[in-house]
Amino acid sequence: QVQLVESGGGLVQAGGSLRLSCEASGVIWGINTMGWYRQAPGKQREVVASITSVGSTNYADSVKGRFTISRDNAKNTVYLQMNSLKPEDTAVYYCRYYYRGNEYWGQGTQVTVSS
């Protein structure tokens, strides 16, 4: 059974930081791509950041320079370090697994940034 268990969401003031974690099980790990997506109320889900099996990263322009995605292959875990948070970062954040056409999603974790 595939499981992507997310943690680390919560309420934070603008300018603060949070670190999201997503631990995967039941999947091939180490050669897959992982990503973080977010969805705000009334909006489409959008990609925030992604990281390949070899550590190449990509970021949405809106978070570039503020967010950092990383992975720990020994722990089957991907992280999203979020700094300098803004109210517009408020959304449900989802972890995504991808490998050769196989795609899985975490349950989502709420991030709320107050002004």
Side-chain angles (χ1 to χ4, degrees), residues 29-87:
W29 189 263
I31 55 177
N32 62 298
T33 296
M34 297 296 297
W36 286 98
Y37 290 67
R38 67 186 181 188
Q39 187 167 23
K43 296 184 178 180
Q44 295 292 311
R45 188 173 298 184
E46 63 177 354
V47 63
V48 176
S50 64
I51 184 167
T52 70
S53 60
V54 296
S56 297
T57 59
N58 284 288
Y59 298 93
D61 288 341
S62 60
V63 307
K64 199 169 298 181
R66 299 188 297 120
F67 291 10
T68 302
I69 188 171
S70 62
R71 65 193 295 164
D72 186 339
N73 289 335
K75 298 180 179 179
N76 285 21
T77 301
V78 63
Y79 305 94
L80 185 67
Q81 178 67 47
M82 304 186 294
N83 298 326
S84 302
L85 283 162
K86 305 174 181 179

Side-chain angles (χ1 to χ4, degrees), residues 3-4 7 18 22 39 43-44 47 65-66 88 93 98 101 114:
Q3 290 188 334
L4 301 177
S7 61
L18 287 172
C22 174
Q39 187 167 23
K43 296 184 178 180
Q44 295 292 311
V47 63
R66 299 188 297 120
E88 51 263 44
Y93 283 71
Y98 178 83
S114 65

